[in-house]
Amino acid sequence: MTNHTAAKIVCQNPECQAPNPASHNFCAHCRTAIPKVYLWAVGEDALTLKTGQTLANNRYLAVNNRVLLDTKPGWQPEVIDRVPEFITPYLRLVAHRPHVPQVYGSVALNRSGRRTSTLWLLEKAPIYSEGLGAALAGKVMPELSESWKTVGSMRQLNWLWQIANLWDAMAVEGVSRTLLHPEVLRVEGGLMRAIELMPNGDSPPKLAELGKLWKLWQKQARIGIAQALEKICDRLIKEDVTTATQLIALLDEALRTVGQKQFLNCNYITLTHTGPTREQNEDACYPPSSNGLYQKTGFELSLAIVCDGVGGHQGGEVASNLAIDTIQRRIENVLDKPENRYPDSIAIQIENSTCVANDQISLRNDSENRQERERMGTTMVMSLIYGHEAYIAHIGDSRLYRITRTGCHQMTLDDDLATREVRLSGVLYRQALGMSSSGSLFQALGMNSSTALHPNIRRTIVDEECIFLLCSDGVSDRDRVEQYWQSEILPVLEGKVDLATACQRTINMANTQNGHDNATVALVHCQVKQPVEAGQNTAIQDFPANATTTFTQTDTLLLSSPETNSKDRQRTMTTQAEVPDSPRRQPLLLGAIGAIVLMAIGAGGWFLSQGQPNPTPAASPSPALAPSPAVTPIEPGVQ
């Protein structure tokens, strides 16, 4: 690997364009952020690239095997007119990032005595940037199969769960065989990320093939899940489980049980600002930004919402606040009942609450006789964390990012016309941005009946320390989050600043680097403490080494079928403590009870050590893309 840290990256500020060393994060001349864009090359000649080689008039530098560094990230990448068939699945699967890389551009390769070939460059591939230092920058992240034996039960199940959730979408696009190639499946902490897509060819794979691959990994599964995973693999191979929905249900069972042994602490805070150029603030957030820091544990609901209102005199402010009041009240009231806290039920309640909020705003528009651009509406993005799961929902172009020590990933997909063109027409996003009204929204709350509304809801597993950043477009415009997350948000994970300081700094960044709109931020800091498992090398884990909970052989899960009801699930969870007592086992039972008590005290002490919460207010997955033809696009910047 070449020493590319000495390479020069041209400042993206068109009025500066000064060359800077790749080791710099900001331009030495104008202080503009310098993005490090590492790209993965695909195409028939991708393997012929040599480290140190430059392409496209010295724009791209080969820094590793098939890894290129863009030295002019502010310039539009070149793209040939015709997108080949093997590239279109990347475009249609854009909603599944960060699991699937996206198309950045293309490069023509001229070979002497041969025809010209084309390399396609993929961005947001599993390649380290600068998050862990210059030594890793430009290196491809490790294979899942290599990392499998070094992680705990929760992460092993999480990776498999992500694969299962990708199966149907990839099958539709003819690339589900990707999930059967271990060399393609890379991991970044808890994230499973494919480095490229593999076509199915003439023989689409069955889930039974997935069972055979997982069977190889199962031999090195953790004690707590080994038996359950063996049953899952056997059922896949025997074709007792034939759909991804059934497989996800089985993995959800295992995750739910293992997740009960995971400690999760959520600190969250919000802040909103009118901005330097606006007269009124049409953004809104929950919890209210004046209420300071909140703290919840994993089995309490942690809800954060950001809305960005649009339309008419004071209409945006009314719409955003009405949306938050409606969604917050309905979700917390319904999910206050434990029997409603299952994945399907939670997702349904989020969708229903969003649709009710939409109709409330729409009725208000009708009652005030608001027409076309005078109709008020709002975007919405929310996170709901419960146990080991995070539910993400959004409408419009307010965004949610997931930030860890190794990267920052946008987890939502804007409901704008440019994105729709990418998914439906197979054009590159940068090309779609050149179309008229590309930034206009095709859906927002309150603009039409809920029958034409399609909330985007996805579920993700939280098995590592991370921060969810929710924000309005006054913060995210011009890729400011991607440019500044390391300087403004990452220090929280490094223990250098507190959450309130990071929140204020992010608002300041938005006002100085964008400044054209209201700016609103919600930061949700998830602190995860995993149990230490038998035989586990804790030195390679990303949870505190002083965790005391341990798994034993009797913690093994016994799963029957996806249709098992909650009472049956409780009966099949057998441990030593459930065996009828005998004189020899009574001391063991007492010891187990004592260990549980000590564990609870230790967990409580750990949470208290993270800081006391402020009082909480008393009232306190696949994106669908089928907008109604009657939807009127919402022009960007119209308030």
Side-chain angles (χ1 to χ4, degrees):
M1 178 175 173
T2 185
N3 180 15
H4 62 279
T5 56
K8 299 293 185 180
I9 298 181
V10 177
C11 176
Q12 61 181 337
N13 181 353
E15 297 179 359
C16 177
Q17 299 186 19
N20 288 267
S23 57
H24 287 192
N25 292 322
F26 298 92
C27 177
H29 298 265
C30 68
R31 303 307 297 165
T32 298
I34 300 176
K36 313 298 169 39
V37 182
Y38 292 97
L39 307 165
W40 180 253
V42 294
E44 60 180 343
D45 287 328
L47 291 174
T48 67
L49 292 175
K50 305 294 184 182
T51 301
Q53 181 179 351
T54 59
L55 304 175
N57 295 321
N58 298 323
R59 172 172 181 172
Y60 301 106
L61 171 66
V63 299
N64 204 348
N65 181 30
R66 297 178 64 182
V67 177
L68 301 174
L69 173 66
D70 187 358
T71 64
K72 297 180 180 179
W75 274 246
Q76 189 79 358
E78 292 186 8
V79 180
I80 61 174
D81 293 334
R82 182 179 175 275
V83 176
E85 184 177 350
F86 82 95
I87 288 295
T88 56
Y90 293 98
L91 306 175
R92 298 188 186 277
L93 292 170
V94 63
H96 294 277
R97 59 184 183 190
H99 306 298
V100 178
Q102 297 304 302
V103 182
Y104 187 76
S106 62
V107 174
L109 285 183
N110 297 314
R111 301 294 185 186
S112 57
R114 295 180 54 191
R115 61 180 177 82
T116 300
S117 64
T118 301
L119 283 182
W120 287 89
L121 308 179
L122 304 180
E123 64 176 329
K124 304 185 188 305
I127 301 170
Y128 289 113
S129 56
E130 306 294 328
L132 293 181
L136 281 178
K139 290 186 177 180
V140 177
M141 294 174 181
E143 293 183 17
L144 185 155
S145 55
E146 293 177 353
S147 302
W148 175 265
K149 62 183 178 181
T150 70
V151 301
S153 298
M154 193 72 177
R155 183 153 299 174
Q156 288 179 340
L157 289 172
N158 185 11
W159 288 341
L160 301 185
W161 183 86
Q162 292 172 61
I163 292 172
N165 275 273
L166 286 168
W167 184 269
D168 281 347
M170 287 192 170
V172 169
E173 300 304 329
V175 291
S176 52
R177 193 165 294 280
T178 300
L179 303 173
L180 299 174
H181 283 263
E183 74 279 4
V184 170
L185 305 181
R186 304 288 172 150
V187 290
E188 178 188 352
L191 280 176
M192 191 289 298
R193 307 180 62 193
I195 197 164
E196 62 181 281
L197 299 177
M198 310 295 288
N200 289 345
D202 297 328
S203 56
K206 296 182 177 181
L207 282 173
E209 296 180 54
L210 196 62
K212 293 176 183 178
L213 174 63
W214 289 8
K215 189 82 169 180
L216 300 176
W217 299 343
Q218 183 269 337
K219 296 176 182 178
Q220 293 183 315
R222 290 295 171 189
I223 292 175
I225 64 170
Q227 185 174 346
L229 185 53
E230 183 178 23
K231 289 179 179 292
I232 292 173
C233 293
D234 289 342
R235 295 187 63 185
L236 286 169
I237 294 170
K238 295 176 182 178
E239 298 191 11
D240 291 338
V241 174
T242 57
T243 68
T245 300
Q246 293 174 315
L247 178 57
I248 292 167
L250 287 171
L251 292 169
D252 272 334
E253 282 291 335
L255 281 164
R256 187 176 297 115
T257 305
V258 176
Q260 292 174 353
K261 296 180 171 67
Q262 170 180 282
F263 294 113
L264 176 66
N265 187 56
C266 288
N267 293 316
Y268 55 112
I269 192 170
T270 63
L271 190 60
T272 185
H273 194 276
T274 304
T277 62
R278 294 297 174 96
E279 294 182 357
Q280 65 183 31
N281 191 350
E282 298 190 342
D283 288 1
C285 54
Y286 178 82
S289 62
S290 60
N291 287 17
L293 184 71
Y294 283 71
Q295 186 180 66
K296 296 285 186 72
T297 59
F299 292 99
E300 297 179 285
L301 297 175
S302 299
L303 177 65
I305 312 173
V306 167
C307 288
D308 180 359
V310 296
H313 178 64
Q314 294 186 342
E317 181 180 359
V318 173
S320 59
N321 281 283
L322 182 55
I324 281 181
D325 290 343
T326 304
I327 294 171
Q328 173 261 323
R329 183 175 62 256
R330 286 185 59 87
I331 285 180
E332 293 190 341
N333 286 345
V334 173
L335 297 183
D336 186 56
K337 301 176 181 179
E339 61 267 25
N340 292 333
R341 296 184 179 184
Y342 281 89
D344 289 344
S345 177
I346 293 175
I348 289 172
Q349 292 306 324
I350 291 174
E351 181 170 1
N352 289 344
S353 300
T354 303
C355 289
V356 170
N358 175 84
D359 290 342
Q360 291 280 352
I361 302 170
S362 185
L363 286 172
R364 182 76 172 263
N365 280 324
D366 294 341
S367 67
E368 296 178 3
N369 197 29
R370 291 175 178 258
Q371 303 295 326
E372 297 181 350
R373 290 179 181 272
E374 284 298 312
R375 289 183 72 85
M376 60 184 175
T378 183
T379 68
M380 183 277 294
V381 62
M382 64 166 286
S383 67
L384 175 66
I385 299 175
Y386 172 66
H388 60 281
E389 297 177 324
Y391 294 80
I392 299 166
H394 88 283
I395 293 286
D397 59 358
S398 292
R399 294 180 178 179
L400 183 145
Y401 296 83
R402 178 183 182 271
I403 297 171
T404 66
R405 289 176 176 83
T406 55
C408 171
H409 300 289
Q410 183 181 335
M411 304 294 287
T412 55
L413 187 67
D414 294 350
D415 287 328
D416 60 12
L417 297 183
T419 301
R420 184 167 67 174
E421 284 298 307
V422 172
R423 296 181 66 183
L424 298 184
S425 304
V427 301
L428 271 63
Y429 185 69
R430 286 174 177 79
Q431 290 177 313
L433 287 176
M435 301 177 181
S436 61
S437 301
S438 62
S440 299
L441 302 181
F442 60 79
Q443 66 171 358
L445 294 182
M447 307 306 289
N448 291 276
S449 168
S450 61
T451 58
L453 190 72
H454 299 272
N456 305 284
I457 303 172
R458 70 185 298 179
R459 181 164 58 111
T460 187
I461 305 300
V462 181
D463 72 350
E464 63 183 321
E465 184 180 13
C466 64
I467 293 176
F468 292 109
L469 185 156
L470 295 74
C471 63
S472 59
D473 62 349
V475 177
S476 62
D477 276 352
R478 304 188 182 112
D479 297 327
R480 296 308 188 196
V481 174
E482 290 89 343
Q483 295 170 12
Y484 287 91
W485 71 273
Q486 288 178 279
S487 60
E488 310 305 326
I489 308 298
L490 184 60
V492 175
L493 299 176
E494 297 172 336
K496 296 178 180 178
V497 303
D498 58 29
L499 205 61
T501 301
C503 197
Q504 182 63 65
R505 284 166 50 167
T506 304
I507 290 291
N508 294 343
M509 177 276 294
N511 287 338
T512 56
Q513 299 302 317
N514 285 333
H516 60 282
D517 202 352
N518 311 141
T520 302
V521 168
L523 294 180
V524 183
H525 182 195
C526 299
Q527 298 166 297
V528 176
K529 195 173 187 181
Q530 299 281 11
V532 175
E533 302 180 68
Q536 182 174 308
N537 179 4
T538 58
I540 53 179
Q541 300 301 306
D542 53 8
F543 52 82
N546 58 354
T548 57
T549 306
T550 58
F551 283 91
T552 65
Q553 187 69 46
T554 53
D555 287 319
T556 302
L557 309 181
L558 300 175
L559 302 180
S560 52
S561 70
E563 296 79 18
T564 305
N565 62 36
S566 59
K567 292 183 179 179
D568 290 337
R569 284 193 292 265
Q570 293 174 359
R571 283 198 294 268
T572 57
M573 292 300 299
T574 57
T575 64
Q576 256 184 347
E578 295 174 295
V579 179
D581 293 340
S582 68
R584 292 180 59 188
R585 291 191 174 182
Q586 285 177 355
L588 294 175
L589 178 58
L590 292 174
I593 294 173
I596 293 172
V597 172
L598 290 174
M599 179 183 69
I601 294 172
W606 180 78
F607 285 131
L608 290 173
S609 69
Q610 306 304 309
Q612 294 296 326
N614 284 341
T616 305
S620 281
S622 299
L625 187 60
S628 167
V631 174
T632 302
I634 306 163
E635 298 297 336
V638 175
Q639 299 290 330

